Amino acid sequence: DADVTQTPRNRITKTGKRIMLECSQTKGHDRMYWYRQDPGLGLRLIYYSFDVKDINKGEISDGYSVSRQAQAKFSLSLESAIPNQTALYFCATSDLRDSTDTQYFGPGTRLTVL
Amino acid sequence: AQSVAQPEDQVNVAEGNPLTVKCTYSVSGNPYLFWYVQYPNRGLQFLLKYITGDNLVKGSYGFEAEFNKSQTSFHLKKPSALVSDSALYFCAVRPHTGGFKTIFGAGTRLFVKA
């Protein structure tokens, strides 16, 4: 969905490096999410945010941190990257008024940690 | 524990034949049910969802899904497959209660052969 953008699209880094993945959206949604996708495991929730002052841990938040700089921006940081954080990372948004929580995804960031 | 199962890692069909991608869930109450599709190098796209009412839900690109409460299933169907339907399909469940989280299945890869 072009309304949700992620940068970078691909990143190769080394073990121990700090890295930030960025997400921006023009949909005007309050809810934002970070997921990682691993083959055979589907999507697993890392962090989510309902507004600028609200940050919540998901099921696999260890080793990650986030920042909600504005309603439209939600960044994911790996403080000290390790190889098992190699994965495809997705940002998603949803409308606070939508009780079903239909989500809209960015194109993903493919991260490789050597 | 709440979960979503997609029992087939891969489904192969010939173009023009009907297709079914299976999904079962274990969630208390009456959850919202979703199908998302992921094309190569793209993020997930919303395909359809079940909220309440008619057990047959129609979505984008000619897809439909059948909700079966007694079998806790939500199978994705299409009467006539196209080569362009080849993609990764995710079933997802959003419980009404017990916390705010959408649970994704592991995904099923659909191959449509010409």
Side-chain angles (χ1 to χ4, degrees), chain B:
Chain B
Q2 301 182 111
S3 63
V4 177
Q6 294 182 240
E8 302 152 318
D9 292 335
Q10 183 171 310
V11 170
N12 298 310
V13 297
E15 188 173 35
N17 283 1
L19 69 87
T20 298
V21 182
K22 296 179 180 178
C23 173
T24 59
Y25 62 92
S26 176
V27 173
S28 59
N30 298 310
Y32 302 120
L33 303 165
F34 298 82
W35 278 100
Y36 289 86
V37 58
Q38 183 182 21
Y39 297 104
N41 300 314
R42 301 283 296 277
L44 280 71
Q45 296 177 33
F46 167 71
L47 203 53
L48 53 79
K49 65 183 173 184
Y50 173 81
I51 301 175
T52 188
D54 193 347
N55 290 343
L56 188 64
V57 179
K58 294 189 182 296
S60 306
Y61 313 122
F63 283 92
E64 56 192 24
E66 186 170 13
F67 169 62
N68 186 315
K69 186 174 182 178
S70 63
Q71 296 184 4
T72 60
S73 67
F74 190 56
H75 299 333
L76 181 69
K77 301 175 185 254
K78 187 173 183 182
S80 179
L82 300 172
V83 172
S84 58
D85 293 330
S86 299
L88 188 57
Y89 290 82
F90 289 94
C91 181
V93 174
R94 162 78 164 91
H96 285 202
T97 60
F100 188 91
K101 179 183 173 184
T102 296
I103 305 163
F104 287 85
T108 297
R109 189 164 297 280
L110 173 67
F111 285 105
V112 181
K113 185 176 181 180

Side-chain angles (χ1 to χ4, degrees), chain A residues 6-111:
Chain A
Q6 294 182 234
T7 55
R9 294 294 311 278
N10 289 281
R11 181 71 183 268
I12 299 173
T13 191
K14 294 182 179 180
T15 297
K17 294 291 187 180
R18 185 179 189 276
I19 184 168
M20 179 181 288
L21 309 183
E22 298 185 335
C23 176
S24 294
Q25 53 111 349
T26 59
K27 299 187 76 67
H29 289 168
D30 291 298
R31 297 180 186 140
M32 296 188 75
Y33 307 83
W34 275 105
Y35 292 94
R36 65 176 280 176
Q37 182 183 16
D38 299 277
L41 295 179
L43 271 71
R44 291 183 291 168
L45 184 63
I46 305 173
Y47 273 95
Y48 62 100
S49 169
F50 289 175
D51 64 42
V52 174
K53 297 180 180 180
D54 177 75
I55 300 290
N56 303 280
K57 292 183 177 180
E59 60 183 309
I60 56 163
S61 59
D62 287 348
Y64 302 94
S65 62
V66 291
S67 174
R68 185 82 183 264
Q69 301 96 321
Q71 187 206 34
K73 296 184 182 296
F74 193 37
S75 299
L76 176 73
S77 293
L78 286 67
E79 298 302 324
S80 179
I82 56 177
N84 75 1
Q85 292 178 313
T86 293
L88 190 53
Y89 290 85
F90 287 106
C91 174
T93 74
S94 68
D95 190 340
L96 195 60
R97 297 166 296 179
D98 176 9
S99 62
T100 72
D101 192 39
T102 302
Q103 296 186 21
Y104 299 86
F105 287 80
T109 295
R110 187 169 296 280
L111 176 66

